[in-house]
Structures are given as C-alpha cells and as structure tokens.
Amino acid sequence: MLTATLLVFGRFSADQELTARAASGISLLSLITPVLLLSLLCCGLSAWFNMELGPQCRAVYVNLIYKMRGELMSAQLPEGRFVRDFPG
C-alpha cells in the first residue's frame, strides 16, 4: 500500500499533475481522502489479524500438536506386521 501510494503521487509530481490540480482548484485533501480511507481499512484489517486471528490460530495449533502427540503415544503398533485396522 505504501509503495503504491508513493509511486502514484511521485508520478503525479513528475508529470506536473499536482501543479495542475492546484491550478484547477481541487484541494489536496479531496485528492488524498480515498487513499487515507483505504489505508485506515488496511491498518484495521492488519491489526485484527495480528491481535485476534493470529493468536487464536496459534493456540489451536499448539493444542492440535499436543493432541496428536497424545494419540501417537497411546497407539500400539505391532512390530513386523502391516497395520490393517484403518478403513480404506
């Protein structure tokens, strides 16, 4: 998002479009309002992902690992035979 914003406004400046915008009476605030709103939306989404979804997924992952370890420890695998107890 930051790179795209810098490229767009850098190109605006290089092509003298920012000067043309000022000459035509369009305010800079009205030009950057959609960019600011989109950046706030991206920040909110990123914050939700890092503060809510990420830790929940990590906790579920750790619980799944412990559960799988427990199941593997209690599994009885006979030596020298194929295990045919599983369907399919």
Side-chain angles (χ1 to χ4, degrees):
M1 176 75 184
L2 179 62
T3 304
T5 303
L6 289 173
L7 285 173
V8 166
F9 284 108
R11 190 69 189 175
F12 266 39
S13 178
D15 291 342
Q16 301 298 324
E17 291 183 24
L18 288 177
T19 306
R21 174 217 38 97
S24 65
I26 300 173
S27 70
L28 184 61
L29 185 61
S30 67
L31 187 65
I32 64 169
T33 299
V35 176
L36 291 175
L37 292 176
L38 184 61
S39 67
L40 286 175
L41 177 71
C42 288
C43 284
L45 183 65
S46 178
W48 171 75
F49 188 82
N50 286 321
M51 289 191 271
E52 292 289 327
L53 193 61
Q56 288 176 0
C57 290
R58 173 78 178 149
V60 170
Y61 170 73
V62 168
N63 289 337
L64 182 64
I65 293 294
Y66 284 131
K67 182 179 173 185
M68 292 290 288
R69 254 188 220 159
E71 289 177 3
L72 281 174
M73 292 301 219
S74 66
Q76 295 183 6
L77 301 175
E79 184 177 341
R81 292 189 318 162
F82 290 110
V83 178
R84 300 183 190 273
D85 296 339
F86 304 109

